[in-house]
Amino acid sequence: ALRSKQWYQRRVRGVSYPGPAIRVNKVTAQYAATALNVAADRGCRSCDLFTVFEERVAGGGQPFSDGLHLNEEGEGLVYKAVAEFVEQRMDGKLPIPDWKDL
């Protein structure tokens, strides 16, 4: 028998979740924004993957296999975003010397 959406939101894989469902995009957006704000307040650089995924989904992409877990497209998004983030901050320089220079 199919389960109701409400049941699924409150009880998944034998684990009960009291109160309203918290696994919704609105809450995830708040969490992501808070994480970015904390990083900024501490003077840390951060990579905004939430926006990367939001833009891909809005453009018709499907980077998740089940709404939560990444598929190959999602893994590619993470790789590209993190690689660009690192490259922009490293200015083409490695933080450790090349083994030939040792």
Side-chain angles (χ1 to χ4, degrees):
L2 293 175
R3 302 286 187 188
S4 71
K5 184 176 180 181
Q6 184 179 23
W7 177 89
Y8 185 75
Q9 290 175 338
R10 299 206 186 232
R11 186 166 177 80
V12 179
R13 295 184 187 215
V15 178
S16 295
Y17 298 96
I22 61 169
R23 292 181 176 172
V24 293
N25 207 41
K26 179 180 175 183
V27 174
T28 305
Q30 292 170 340
Y31 182 87
T34 299
L36 292 173
N37 288 335
V38 168
D41 289 348
R42 304 289 187 279
C44 299
R45 297 174 179 159
S46 55
C47 184
D48 183 5
L49 291 174
F50 180 80
T51 300
V52 169
F53 280 92
E54 283 291 288
E55 290 172 353
R56 177 59 63 100
V57 170
Q62 296 180 355
F64 302 101
S65 61
D66 59 3
L68 174 64
H69 299 96
L70 301 176
N71 59 20
E72 188 173 343
E73 179 183 354
E75 291 170 356
L77 283 175
V78 171
Y79 175 82
K80 182 179 178 195
V82 171
E84 288 174 1
F85 178 82
V86 171
E87 286 174 14
Q88 290 171 357
R89 278 133 191 96
M90 298 304 298
D91 195 30
K93 300 174 187 171
L94 290 175
I96 56 174
D98 190 304
W99 68 272
K100 291 179 264 176
D101 297 332
L102 297 176

